[in-house]
Amino acid sequence: MMNFKHFWTKKTLVGLGLGQFLSLLITSTGFSSSELAKKGINAPTSQSFLNYVLLAVVYGGVMLYRRQALKAKWYYYVVLGFVDVEANYLVVKAYQYTSITSVMLLDCWTIPSVMLLTYIFLKTKYRFRKIAGVIVCVAGLVMVVFSDVHAGDRSGGSNPRKGDLLVIAGATLYAICNVSEEFLVKNADRVELMSFLGLFGAIISAIQISIVERNELKSIHWTAGAAFPFFGFSLAMFLFYSFVPVLLKMTGSTMLNLSLLTSDMWAVVIRIFAYHEKVDWMYFLAFFAVTVGLIIYSGGDKDDDQSQADVADEDAERSKRFDEEAGFSNLSRATMAGSSKTGDTSSHDLTTSFVGRETIANNKGIGKDVEGKKF
């Protein structure tokens, strides 16, 4: 049974609060993208371009002020920037074909993808309870796809199946980004990560815009109704990117994506009250399945923390034993070195001692002979 005194720690509360703040930011980006799609604006890469520019300017300025050497290879950030740009492109593009609710729910595919990647590359072990929770979440995702296929007219998109596939592909790329960012933020530097991600993300986005979205940008009629969600999306993404590394360092990529599951709830609320759209009953069933999966997954956190603590204790004990053995080995080598320096003296003492014992034995033998001769 879960002990809530251990559960409601300061770190847990800060992590949950920050996770919900990020969840609201993701929901706002979904709302902005959906509004732009309704206005006929189809420029997903352009929406993310300003975010990358802000990251490069703000965090790049901080990095130049620090004048520190790079802690990671620059080409790692090139690859990460490319994957991140394409992930944003696919997910934002999906709003042209499916509903905001489907995008938010199918984004949960990031969780099993993150678990698989961390298991393969970071050697993270997951208990059966956590795996069962992820299976339940995936079952909820299957229900979303099934609902979109059989109720396309109520899903709020022109081609729900295509939109679902785009979201799943983008979520997989998001998983790669999250695991990579978790590794870099724990082994490199957060400011360095954000500045180079913004720099290379902006460069790659600019190239992609000039090839794919050049004509689309020319056809956009910039009104207040179009500019507000466009720049609102960039601002929300900038805040999201700025705080994600903080949560990654605190809790890891899996817990980040689990926290973002509540964005599904906000998406349903927006769709009902802002868009006045009818939500298919299977969405609620899918959300219930995702919630149950989250509860099952979170139920194993205490055991995993205890297991990690046991492993840490074993590592500490092993390190202590190694240090003791190393100290004993050094002491032995020091003793041997001291003996080699006084080798002549020790050899002389040993020889003298041996000869002395032999002389005493011989004297005892002679004494016995003399004594026998007297009798």
Side-chain angles (χ1 to χ4, degrees):
M1 186 174 181
M2 184 176 292
N3 190 342
F4 287 95
K5 291 183 179 180
H6 294 284
F7 180 78
W8 297 110
T9 60
K10 181 179 179 180
K11 181 179 179 181
T12 302
L13 292 175
V14 172
L16 289 174
L18 184 57
Q20 292 312 299
F21 176 67
L22 295 175
S23 179
L24 287 173
L25 290 176
I26 283 293
T27 306
S28 64
T29 60
F31 177 79
S32 301
S33 298
S34 183
E35 281 293 312
L36 291 173
K38 286 180 176 295
K39 295 180 182 297
I41 300 176
N42 182 20
T45 309
S46 301
Q47 289 179 228
S48 303
F49 174 73
L50 183 57
N51 165 51
Y52 293 121
V53 172
L54 289 174
L55 290 174
V57 171
V58 174
Y59 291 99
V62 176
M63 188 175 176
L64 290 175
Y65 176 78
R66 290 181 177 181
R67 295 183 179 180
Q68 294 180 348
L70 294 181
K71 297 182 179 180
K73 302 295 184 181
W74 63 270
Y75 46 82
Y76 291 163
Y77 297 113
V78 175
V79 177
L80 179 61
F82 176 78
V83 175
D84 193 74
V85 168
E86 300 310 318
N88 287 327
Y89 174 82
L90 292 174
V91 173
V92 175
K93 186 73 173 178
Y95 286 97
Q96 304 291 328
Y97 304 102
T98 189
S99 65
I100 181 176
T101 314
S102 296
V103 173
M104 292 298 178
L105 282 174
L106 288 171
D107 236 3
C108 302
W109 177 255
T110 307
I111 297 173
S113 301
V114 164
M115 294 183 67
L116 180 62
L117 291 173
T118 52
Y119 176 78
I120 294 175
F121 296 103
L122 302 183
K123 308 302 179 183
T124 304
K125 304 297 182 181
Y126 294 97
R127 294 179 179 270
F128 175 77
R129 181 180 296 181
K130 291 185 177 294
I131 297 175
V134 173
I135 292 174
V136 176
C137 289
V138 174
L141 306 184
V142 173
M143 280 186 272
V144 175
V145 178
F146 182 81
S147 175
D148 280 346
V149 170
H150 290 82
D153 56 335
R154 291 177 290 174
S155 62
S158 59
N159 193 342
R161 282 171 286 185
K162 182 178 181 179
D164 292 346
L165 292 176
L166 289 175
V167 176
I168 292 174
T172 304
L173 294 181
Y174 275 143
I176 298 175
C177 291
N178 290 341
V179 175
S180 302
E181 288 177 9
E182 179 183 355
F183 175 80
L184 290 172
V185 79
K186 290 181 179 179
N187 295 276
D189 182 68
R190 183 174 71 93
V191 175
E192 178 181 309
L193 170 64
M194 291 293 98
S195 60
F196 276 96
L197 178 61
L199 175 62
F200 293 117
I203 294 174
I204 295 171
S205 296
I207 296 173
Q208 185 163 315
I209 290 171
S210 63
I211 298 174
V212 180
E213 300 178 3
R214 180 174 53 187
N215 296 327
E216 184 67 27
L217 287 177
K218 292 180 180 179
S219 62
I220 296 176
H221 298 285
W222 292 104
T223 61
F228 180 77
F230 190 90
F231 291 104
F233 175 90
S234 299
L235 179 59
M237 287 293 287
F238 173 75
L239 294 174
F240 180 79
Y241 274 65
S242 298
F243 286 101
V244 159
V246 179
L247 190 61
L248 284 175
K249 194 168 186 178
M250 289 177 58
T251 61
S253 53
T254 303
M255 191 59 196
L256 165 66
N257 290 282
L258 288 173
S259 299
L260 298 181
L261 286 178
T262 54
S263 62
D264 308 333
M265 178 184 66
W266 305 120
V268 172
V269 171
I270 289 176
R271 186 172 180 183
I272 294 175
F273 294 99
Y275 294 151
H276 303 288
E277 295 179 357
K278 183 178 180 181
V279 179
D280 191 80
W281 65 272
M282 290 197 71
Y283 282 122
F284 296 101
L285 184 60
F287 181 73
F288 176 76
V290 171
T291 304
V292 171
L294 174 60
I295 295 174
I296 295 174
Y297 184 96
S298 301
D301 288 342
K302 183 178 178 182
D303 295 336
D304 288 346
D305 293 340
Q306 183 64 37
S307 176
Q308 292 176 0
D310 294 339
V311 172
D313 293 339
E314 291 177 2
D315 292 341
E317 183 66 24
R318 191 180 301 110
S319 177
K320 181 179 179 181
R321 191 180 304 114
F322 176 78
D323 292 340
E324 292 177 352
E325 292 175 356
F328 178 77
S329 177
N330 292 334
L331 180 61
S332 299
R333 286 195 295 269
T335 304
M336 292 176 63
S339 299
S340 64
K341 289 182 180 179
T342 59
D344 295 339
T345 305
S346 300
S347 177
H348 176 73
D349 294 339
L350 181 62
T351 304
T352 303
S353 177
F354 177 77
V355 172
R357 286 194 297 269
E358 186 177 3
T359 303
I360 292 173
N362 292 335
N363 289 338
K364 287 183 179 180
I366 295 172
K368 289 182 180 179
D369 292 340
V370 173
E371 187 177 355
K373 289 179 180 179
K374 285 182 180 181
F375 284 100

